[in-house]
Amino acid sequence: MQGNAEAGRCRDLPGQIVLVLQGGGALGSYQAGVYQALHEAGIEPDWVIGTSIGAINASLIAGNAPENRLARLKEFWKRMEQTPLRTGVPGFDDKLAYWSTVTGGIPGFFRPNPLAHAGESYPLGADRAGYYSTAPLETTLRELVDFGLANRGAPRLTVGAAHVGTSRMRYFDSRDGELTVKHVMASGALPPAFPAVRIDGELYWDGGILSNSPTEAVFDDNPRRDSLIFSVHLWNPAGAEPTTMGEVLTRHKDVQYSSRIASQIERQQQAHRLRHVINQLAARLPASERDDPAVRDLIGYGCSTRMHVVRLLAPQLDRETHTKDIDFSPSGIMRRWDAGYAHTRSVLMRAPWTGEFDPLSGVVLHEHIDEMPLAAE
């Protein structure tokens, strides 16, 4: 239960609550821990945005009543657990777990597609061209998510997917149209493992191949609103120099899927600062000047909104490798969930969005990065 001090800090929140969930397979249990801490603090998101596993977690939140959301998240992640045989040899057990998932899939998520091994030129069809079938995921989502509820906009739901034909990012938004289980599956259709998903006649892949950190959807929203954004990251943007091939593979994946979030934030901070500058300049103009149509058009580029971005980063587990995103072991899921819960409780206690800030700062970044690796069991 929350203490009175924490509850008091959470009462006055600076705008709409936005939960932004990155893609990362099994690492996504960290996001569920983040939501649990928010839920227990009485903070429910007004808007949930996700890519890949982030889209799945987002749909579980938006597609259930607040009192059922945590139970649905727990049920989903329980179904994801993969418990391989154990030999007591850590290195060998890790490989055994990996090959168990690769060869057998995850019940409730994906299963092998034998025809994918019939040859690179075998005509599978655009809707089945993947090493696995995600039909089990569709069944799971239909059982755990009420898409009628998800489309009511409380909270608003947005999922990102990559258009196969044009290489463009597409954000499907419940504010603009009805979302279905296919939209969530498209957001998680990572090639070549999973086949593309067809929506309105067009094929889509996992949005993470273009933008795995969909915070941009908040920055580009129209109209912009004051926001407190919990941006939940699963891949480490910073890391040591790799010295082995295993470390190279691990670091490459982190770099690939951390999605240049630091540079995105920096650009948004610059852009929003300029919008605030325009507002300040407009306030100094006499009314006669502000009423000029040309001047009004220029003033329209200004903005007075402020967005606080709380950046939460999943920890690194001991002996973690490039296969960490398919570590669906019960212990891996539990440790990441617990870390998300602990990190978010710590942030809520500090409430870094309170206090005085530069009036020209439209985007304020608050970091919570746990650099200590969690010991493996």
Side-chain angles (χ1 to χ4, degrees), residues 2 4 8 68 106 167 185 216 225 237 254 270 317 326 340 346:
Q2 303 299 307
N4 291 333
N68 297 327
I106 298 288
S167 302
M185 292 179 65
E216 62 192 24
R225 295 175 54 189
D254 278 332
Q270 294 166 358
L317 304 185
I326 59 170
S346 173

Side-chain angles (χ1 to χ4, degrees), residues 216-229:
E216 62 192 24
V218 189
F219 295 137
D220 296 338
D221 196 32
N222 187 21
R224 283 182 292 273
R225 295 175 54 189
D226 288 340
S227 303
L228 174 56
I229 304 164

Side-chain angles (χ1 to χ4, degrees), residues 31 111 130 134 150 155 162 164 167 249 255 269 298 319 326 334 354 364:
Q31 298 168 344
R111 61 172 177 253
T134 51
V164 174
S167 302
L249 292 171
V255 171
Q269 287 176 321
L298 293 173
R319 300 194 304 271
I326 59 170
M334 178 191 67
T354 58
V364 183

